[in-house]
Amino acid sequence: MFESLIARLKGKPEAPALPEPDEHLALGALLVRVAKSDHHYDAVEIGEIDRILADSFSLNPIEAAKMRATCEKLEAQAPGTPDFALLIRQTVDYPHRLEMIQAMWRVIMADGDHAPEEDETLLEIEKIFGIKPEDRPI
């Protein structure tokens, strides 16, 4: 509170509060987390995330980019992958969770590099999602 008062006095605008994550924002945050898991987050991966968000939620390119930007902020503030993955498991049926895993795989492959860290992150998400080993896309 005191920091926000000082920021206002100095003329610095307060950053708007982030929305409470729902299953849509949780998916976006997980897509970002998977893309960043190899410590390399580039325009190709960002473009793939934008396409997935646009296709998944019937968004135009600007809306998808804005949603991804929000998801990047949520992902940066999130304490861990399980928070988002559990939210999705509790609110999304199995076939759609499987589609989400396939979308994450598309993000991993978007930059042409396939790092072990990406596999580890995806495997962690699959376990929390309750994906059966025989249904894994890889």
Side-chain angles (χ1 to χ4, degrees):
M1 183 173 148
F2 184 69
E3 292 168 353
S4 69
L5 176 62
I6 290 175
R8 280 187 274 156
L9 291 173
K10 290 183 176 182
K12 295 179 184 176
E14 270 187 63
L18 290 173
E20 189 67 29
D22 60 9
E23 64 274 12
H24 297 172
L25 293 173
L27 170 62
L30 287 175
L31 291 169
V32 170
R33 181 145 300 165
V34 165
K36 288 182 172 184
S37 64
D38 65 351
H39 309 288
H40 178 74
Y41 186 56
D42 64 19
V44 175
E45 293 167 317
I46 290 168
E48 188 63 28
I49 292 169
D50 286 356
R51 279 188 289 285
I52 291 167
L53 295 175
D55 293 345
S56 298
F57 307 119
S58 300
L59 303 173
N60 67 42
I62 302 281
E63 293 168 331
K66 286 180 180 180
M67 182 178 180
R68 182 209 7 99
T70 299
C71 293
E72 288 171 344
K73 292 173 187 167
L74 286 170
E75 184 276 333
Q77 291 183 359
T81 300
D83 298 331
F84 293 126
L86 189 56
L87 173 67
I88 290 173
R89 183 174 182 161
Q90 293 170 343
T91 58
V92 177
D93 64 14
Y94 188 84
H96 288 104
R97 290 195 313 266
L98 191 55
E99 287 176 14
M100 290 175 173
I101 292 296
Q102 292 165 344
M104 290 176 206
W105 182 246
R106 285 176 36 205
V107 170
I108 287 172
M109 298 309 293
D111 64 0
D113 287 330
H114 182 186
E117 299 90 352
E118 293 169 321
D119 285 339
E120 291 169 17
T121 302
L122 189 59
L123 186 58
E124 178 185 9
I125 294 167
E126 287 175 351
K127 286 179 183 177
I128 297 167
F129 274 17
I131 301 298
K132 300 172 193 161
E134 62 269 19
D135 291 338
R136 293 187 69 219
I138 40 177

